[in-house]
Amino acid sequence: MTQINVERIKLFSTRSPYWCLALIPVFGIGFTVLISLVDQGSAASLESSQAWAGFAISIVMVMSALAITTEYRFGTIRSSFLAVPKRGRVLAAKAVLLAVVSLVTVEITSLIAFNLMKAIRGPQSSAADFVLNSSGDYRVLWGPGVVCAMAAVLALGVGALVRQSAGAIAILLLWPLLVENLFQLFGKFGRTVYPWLPFNAGNRVFAGAEADARQTARLNGSETVSVPNWWEGGLVFLGVTMLIYLAALVAINRRDA
């Protein structure tokens, strides 16, 4: 707990985490109001109340990467490793802190967004679209926070491996937006793999009741691909996160600070 408290002090001694954490509810509430009012709320629903989750994941990853790359930039990581010779404890404390902060912030925003959209939705929406009837419906609300917590650890690992803020942030932002989408250009193989790539698979965690079972999506008429259910997608994202975290753990112990 002492090490986590130390990391908390270091994290919030800069302005970047405050800006990042503030942007999450700003995006969440902004998207909620927009969807609720545009076209008399015809698109308002439980799932659309979490349409901002993708932005939240990106913001969390930027914050988490900066939490360690900034230390490398200014050389304060050396003091951390001198104070705690077992470097894995420093990385673990950062991971726990960032995951908890991200989880709490996103979960609170999820609940606010859902209840706000339910309250101000336009006449074209239905109250039935906001009824929580199944575990899949509840998962739409708690899923974004869980995925963001894992994304925070993944981004921390990337930051520890790259050590440069610009490079780490570029990788983390281009990975889900560009790299994964490029797989769709690689013929049938790319389209088959695409739903199972980390961020696409991770998004299935909060996809709702439709993600309760694995689905078969039809492409180009007769071509079909398998889409993971929510726990398969979550395991894919968790597995990639742990691989990167373990690689970062090995790297910080082998390389000079």
Side-chain angles (χ1 to χ4, degrees), residues 183 186-194 223:
F183 272 78
F186 300 154
K188 184 176 181 179
F189 170 77
R191 291 189 292 270
T192 301
V193 171
Y194 175 73
E223 183 180 329

Side-chain angles (χ1 to χ4, degrees), residues 28-114:
I29 294 173
F31 269 80
T32 298
V33 172
L34 186 64
I35 295 173
S36 299
L37 300 180
V38 169
D39 198 18
Q40 296 184 320
S42 59
S45 65
L46 169 63
E47 288 77 13
S48 64
S49 71
Q50 307 301 311
W52 52 271
F55 289 94
I57 293 172
S58 297
I59 293 169
V60 162
M61 291 195 297
V62 170
M63 177 186 70
S64 300
L66 289 175
I68 191 164
T69 57
T70 302
E71 287 208 57
Y72 277 107
R73 178 185 177 186
F74 293 104
T76 56
I77 195 70
R78 297 189 186 95
S79 300
S80 298
F81 289 160
L82 285 173
V84 185
K86 293 184 178 180
R87 298 180 176 186
R89 291 186 179 180
V90 176
L91 194 66
K94 288 182 180 292
V96 171
L97 175 65
L98 290 166
V100 170
V101 169
S102 302
L103 175 67
V104 172
T105 303
V106 174
E107 292 294 1
I108 292 174
T109 305
S110 293
L111 292 174
I112 292 174
F114 169 69

Side-chain angles (χ1 to χ4, degrees), residues 4-26:
I4 294 176
N5 191 46
V6 169
E7 295 302 329
R8 178 188 60 81
I9 294 171
K10 288 194 293 183
L11 177 66
F12 291 104
S13 63
T14 60
R15 293 182 180 179
S16 58
Y18 291 101
W19 281 104
C20 290
L21 292 175
L23 282 174
I24 293 175
V26 167

Side-chain angles (χ1 to χ4, degrees), residues 116-135:
L116 181 62
M117 182 174 285
K118 185 178 180 180
I120 67 173
R121 60 185 173 81
Q124 292 296 323
S125 64
S126 171
D129 293 330
F130 295 88
V131 177
L132 303 175
N133 289 318
S134 66
S135 59

